[in-house]
């Protein structure tokens, strides 16, 4: 009750204060259409970064496009970029003048934020996933003010819930910004310093700087207000099913969607991604759709997965990275289905070099075959009468797994 009274008094006080209320929408001006812009600094890219939205600088060079792709206009030191620079500086000043409602610790851990102005008076680091809760208000405003440099750890994720919209998320940063590799960042960054997107990071919103370079490295950067994403991804999971990795995902909305590409990396830094497989998307849908894929070529240790969704125009977005550990202790996890079996059953998880045996209850071997090595093998049982049998899988090193099998 005391906390509620305090929040109520803060809200009443803010309404009575002169000047702009914290909930008033900041004016982006001509920066509205930009995904990347610096008023004074170079813009550079390494690798196949894709930018959806305009890109520009009012004082500096642009390099790395191609191989990077810009789905928008580019303005470099011209009358348009001068106007945008003035608007970015005005926006920076506006956000800096907003009065704080909540104080955050300099190390921002995984937590949920509600609408308001959240402030840190020094440099800060985001180390955990951040959830922005709109409390049912689609106009809810989130302003995070940081009094120094700002960085994120790798693999951090920012999401919105309860009607919160990323168009109403602003980061006012008094220094340089480093978005960690493989992070999914969200909101409009307005900084007084360089902005660095590290390897494979993605960003939904704008990256605007009053002074400082902006660098990119195999990123996906989208001005989400300028372009509607082709797919609304509900979930993406990776689980072990016997000798395979099962990947599942669902969408609640698709427009002009083209395909899904599952990618795997065996490095924590995820500097190299390999395609596991590609599935065609629905093209257009307003109902929930479910997809799945299997991976049979995992490596021992940690396997990192991400899902890339693309539309017919080449715009794409990637999911948060999922990790599946594949260690020696679990390498002979065997699953058999269906069980009971009528005519044919499948064995999942038998490694290459393993032997699969069907044995009766007296210990007699009735059938024997080598595992294919692709993680999934079938055995025919139509010639055997109903009853109970034993399935025995013996690995190359002699380790045996025995499963009771019922024949109908």
């Amino acid at each position: 009750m005391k906390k509620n009274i305090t929040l109520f008094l803060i809200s009443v006080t803010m309404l009575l204060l002169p000047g702009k209320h914290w909930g008033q929408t900041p004016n982006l001006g001509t920066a509205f259409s930009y995904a990347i812009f610096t008023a004074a600094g170079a813009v550079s890219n390494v690798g196949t970064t894709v930018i959806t939205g305009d890109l520009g600088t009012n004082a500096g060079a642009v390099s790395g496009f191609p191989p990077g792709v810009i789905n928008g206009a580019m303005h470099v030191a011209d009358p348009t970029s001068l106007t945008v620079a003035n608007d970015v500086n005005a926006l920076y000043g506006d956000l800096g003048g907003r009065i704080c409602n909540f104080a955050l610790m300099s190390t921002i851990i995984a937590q949920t934020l509600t609408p308001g102005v959240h402030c840190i008076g020094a440099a800060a680091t985001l180390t955990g996933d951040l959830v922005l809760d709109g409390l049912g208000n689609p106009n809810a405003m989130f302003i995070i003010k940081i009094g120094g440099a700002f960085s994120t750890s790798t693999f951090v994720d920012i999401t919105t819930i309860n009607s919160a919209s990323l168009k109403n998320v602003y980061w006012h940063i008094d220094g340089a910004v480093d978005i960690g590799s493989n992070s999914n960042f969200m909101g409009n960054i307005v900084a007084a310093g360089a902005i660095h997107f590290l390897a494979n990071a993605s960003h939904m919103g704008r990256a605007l700087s009053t002074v400082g370079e902006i660098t990119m490295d195999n990123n996906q950067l989208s001005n989400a207000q300028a372009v509607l994403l082709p797919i609304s991804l509900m979930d993406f999971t990776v689980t072990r099913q016997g000798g395979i990795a099962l990947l599942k995902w669902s969408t609640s909305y698709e427009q002009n969607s083209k395909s899904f590409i599952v990618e795997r990396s065996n490095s924590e830094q995820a500097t190299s991604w390999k395609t596991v497989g590609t599935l065609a998307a629905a093209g257009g849908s307003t109902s929930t759709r479910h997809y799945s894929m299997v991976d049979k070529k995992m490596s021992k240790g940690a396997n990192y997965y991400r899902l890339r969704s693309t539309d017919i125009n080449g715009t794409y977005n990637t999911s948060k990275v999922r990790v599946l550990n594949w260690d020696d202790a679990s390498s002979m996890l065997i699953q058999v289905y269906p069980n009971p079996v009528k005519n044919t059953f499948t064995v999942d998880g038998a490694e290459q070099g393993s032997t699969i045996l069907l044995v009766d209850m007296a210990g007699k071997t009735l059938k024997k075959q080598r595992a294919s090595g692709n993680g999934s093998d079938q055995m025919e049982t139509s010639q055997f009468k109903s009853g109970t049998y034993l399935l025995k899988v013996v690995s190359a090193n002699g380790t045996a797994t025995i499963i009771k099998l019922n024949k109908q």
Side-chain angles (χ1 to χ4, degrees):
M1 178 64 72
K2 184 176 180 181
K3 180 179 180 181
N4 292 336
I5 293 174
T6 301
L7 292 176
F8 172 76
L9 291 174
I10 289 175
S11 299
V12 171
T13 301
M14 295 307 300
L15 287 171
L16 296 176
L17 285 173
K20 286 191 175 181
H21 181 252
W22 66 266
Q24 288 180 273
T25 303
N27 184 13
L28 284 157
T30 55
F32 177 87
S33 64
Y34 282 76
I36 298 291
F37 185 85
T38 175
V43 177
S44 62
N45 168 65
V46 174
T48 56
T49 292
V50 177
I51 296 175
T52 301
D54 296 343
L55 175 148
T57 174
N58 191 47
V62 175
S63 61
F65 298 93
V69 176
I70 303 173
N71 295 313
M74 181 189 299
H75 290 279
V76 180
D78 60 15
T80 297
S81 67
L82 177 59
T83 301
V84 179
N86 290 334
D87 287 346
V88 169
N89 279 289
L91 176 61
Y92 181 82
D94 172 15
L95 295 173
R98 305 286 175 124
I99 297 175
C100 300
N101 304 129
F102 308 101
L104 293 176
M105 301 296 290
S106 58
T107 298
I108 309 172
I109 60 175
Q111 60 185 291
T112 298
L113 302 183
T114 54
V117 181
H118 301 261
C119 297
I120 301 171
T125 302
L126 175 63
T127 61
D129 293 348
L130 199 62
V131 178
L132 306 178
D133 187 346
L135 303 178
N137 179 8
N139 297 314
M141 189 69 60
F142 298 83
I143 299 175
I144 299 97
K145 295 172 60 174
I146 298 172
F150 174 67
S151 63
T152 79
S153 299
T154 60
F155 296 105
V156 300
D157 194 26
I158 299 177
T159 56
T160 57
I161 60 173
N162 296 330
S163 300
S165 173
L166 68 86
K167 71 179 183 180
N168 293 325
V169 179
Y170 289 83
W171 296 80
H172 178 269
I173 301 169
D174 290 329
V177 179
D178 289 318
I179 304 301
S181 62
N182 297 289
S183 293
N184 288 331
F185 201 76
M186 177 183 291
N188 300 296
I189 301 171
V190 188
I195 302 175
H196 303 294
F197 291 100
L198 303 187
N200 300 299
S202 65
H203 178 219
M204 296 291 295
R206 300 170 180 82
L208 310 172
S209 175
T210 61
V211 58
E213 67 175 2
I214 300 180
T215 65
M216 291 154 278
D217 182 358
N218 290 287
N219 307 122
Q220 300 156 62
L221 311 173
S222 176
N223 173 351
Q225 284 183 244
V227 175
L228 179 65
L229 285 180
I231 294 168
S232 178
L233 187 67
M234 297 171 60
D235 54 59
F236 175 51
T237 62
V238 182
T239 57
R240 178 163 187 156
Q241 300 290 323
I244 63 173
L246 177 62
L247 303 104
K248 293 183 176 181
W249 63 95
S250 303
T251 64
S252 59
Y253 171 87
E254 296 184 34
Q255 180 176 350
N256 297 325
S257 56
K258 179 182 179 182
S259 64
F260 297 99
I261 303 172
V262 173
E263 298 176 316
R264 174 184 8 92
S265 176
N266 299 114
S267 164
E268 183 175 358
Q269 299 303 316
T271 54
S272 176
W273 292 94
K274 295 181 179 180
T275 297
V276 174
T278 301
L279 283 181
S285 173
T286 57
S287 60
T288 301
R289 300 184 68 89
H290 302 286
Y291 300 86
S292 65
M293 186 181 296
V294 298
D295 183 15
K296 300 178 180 179
K297 297 182 180 180
M298 301 71 59
S299 299
K300 290 293 190 296
N303 292 260
Y304 299 86
Y305 292 92
R306 70 182 185 185
L307 178 68
R308 183 192 294 255
S309 54
T310 67
D311 73 0
I312 59 176
N313 296 318
T315 301
Y316 67 91
N317 189 37
T318 57
S319 69
K320 185 177 179 181
V321 174
R322 306 301 184 191
V323 183
L324 180 64
N325 287 305
W326 204 270
D327 55 30
D328 292 332
S330 60
S331 62
M332 279 295 288
L333 179 61
I334 305 298
Q335 289 189 344
V336 177
Y337 59 89
N339 188 7
V341 59
K342 289 184 177 180
N343 297 317
T344 304
F345 65 87
T346 299
V347 180
D348 275 349
E351 295 180 331
Q352 188 170 14
S354 299
T355 302
I356 302 172
L357 305 100
L358 184 64
V359 181
D360 65 17
M361 298 306 292
K364 180 181 178 182
T365 298
L366 304 175
K367 204 162 188 179
K368 178 180 178 181
Q369 67 186 53
R370 284 284 185 180
S372 63
N374 63 10
S376 184
D377 296 271
Q378 290 187 333
M379 184 173 281
E380 175 67 36
T381 62
S382 58
Q383 68 269 44
F384 302 118
K385 64 182 181 179
S386 300
T388 301
Y389 298 84
L390 296 177
L391 177 75
K392 190 174 183 180
V393 181
V394 183
S395 69
N397 63 12
T399 302
T401 298
I402 299 175
I403 298 174
K404 185 180 289 186
L405 185 72
N406 294 313
K407 172 72 168 64
Q408 292 181 338

